[in-house]
Amino acid sequence: MAFSPKFLRRSLNSINKWRFLSSSSDYRVLLQHSNSARSPCSSFLYNDNRNRVCSRDFCSRTSNFDENSSQGPAAIDYSALLQEDEFHKLADATIHDLLEKIEEYGDSVDIDGFDIDYGNQVLTVKFGSLGTYVLNKQTPNRQIWMSSPVSGPSRFDWDPTTEAWIYRRTKAKLLETLESEIKQLCGDPIKLS
């Protein structure tokens, strides 16, 4: 048995900030919209006898948190970032410098399966069975992306204050991250900065 339109209108009008979401032949779902930071958003499932059979709390609004202490990324206005030619200059210089220094490092340590390749603007560094790093430019975002066998994927933005590529989530610098991780993987320190 379905709810009558009159019952739905009366119920929806009498309950402040409720909205009819979906229906089936047996159940109706109502969603409570809450502007209060303390109250969760909730959905309630009603059967044909108008009894609540279950509820579920969820919320899609953003949480209130202190942005200065947050580990999460800050919003970026991509139109205010580096000009494209400046980005290419900085990113190319960084990647080419990494290519030279990591290639020297590979010659000085004994790692089975070590290989380094730069092609199509992608730097690939294989440390044999220890893992593979991939670094490449992401021009639309003005970022250098890194895939790491240690820390996974990261996106580094140029920070003019520190003159370094910074991962916004952790505030880690690209070169320092690579130095630490390569030492962790291979056992021998490398100087990239």
Side-chain angles (χ1 to χ4, degrees):
M1 173 183 217
F3 288 118
S4 71
K6 183 178 178 182
F7 169 77
L8 285 175
R9 255 192 323 273
R10 187 176 62 234
S11 297
L12 294 175
N13 288 334
S14 66
I15 302 172
N16 189 24
K17 297 183 181 183
W18 286 77
R19 182 170 51 117
F20 181 67
L21 275 187
S22 64
S23 66
S24 69
S25 60
D26 298 321
Y27 295 101
R28 301 292 180 255
V29 178
L30 297 173
L31 174 69
Q32 176 186 15
H33 292 277
S34 173
N35 293 327
S36 168
R38 292 187 186 144
S39 303
C41 298
S42 303
S43 67
F44 301 104
L45 188 60
Y46 291 86
N47 65 13
D48 286 336
N49 297 327
R50 299 182 188 124
N51 297 322
R52 187 182 334 175
V53 291
C54 69
S55 69
R56 180 174 153 196
D57 291 337
F58 67 95
C59 194
S60 61
R61 69 176 169 268
T62 58
S63 301
N64 292 331
F65 60 90
D66 181 7
E67 292 181 10
N68 295 331
S69 66
S70 170
Q71 289 290 336
I76 288 189
D77 176 11
Y78 289 107
S79 64
L81 295 176
L82 297 168
Q83 292 299 315
E84 188 171 335
D85 58 338
E86 181 70 12
F87 164 74
H88 285 296
K89 187 177 98 179
L90 291 165
D92 288 339
T94 301
I95 291 173
H96 288 291
D97 191 47
L98 286 172
L99 172 65
E100 289 176 13
K101 289 179 178 177
I102 296 173
E103 194 166 34
E104 281 179 27
Y105 178 79
D107 292 340
S108 69
V109 295
D110 186 29
I111 301 172
D112 228 13
F114 176 81
D115 187 37
I116 190 164
D117 180 56
Y118 182 70
N120 296 324
Q121 299 185 351
V122 177
L123 177 63
T124 306
V125 184
K126 296 179 183 177
F127 289 101
S129 63
L130 301 174
T132 301
Y133 283 89
V134 178
L135 289 104
N136 64 302
K137 299 187 306 183
Q138 290 295 318
T139 303
N141 300 341
R142 308 297 196 264
Q143 295 173 326
I144 292 179
W145 286 10
M146 177 179 77
S147 173
S148 161
V150 176
S151 60
S154 304
R155 299 173 180 188
F156 293 87
D157 297 288
W158 179 253
D159 179 30
T161 306
T162 60
E163 295 186 352
W165 294 95
I166 303 291
Y167 184 39
R168 292 182 297 127
R169 289 179 188 248
T170 62
K171 312 296 188 256
K173 295 180 180 180
L174 172 63
L175 300 181
E176 291 174 3
T177 300
L178 281 168
E179 287 174 344
S180 171
E181 290 186 8
I182 290 172
K183 181 180 180 186
Q184 179 184 343
L185 278 177
C186 305
D188 293 319
I190 182 172
K191 185 69 174 158
L192 299 172
S193 50

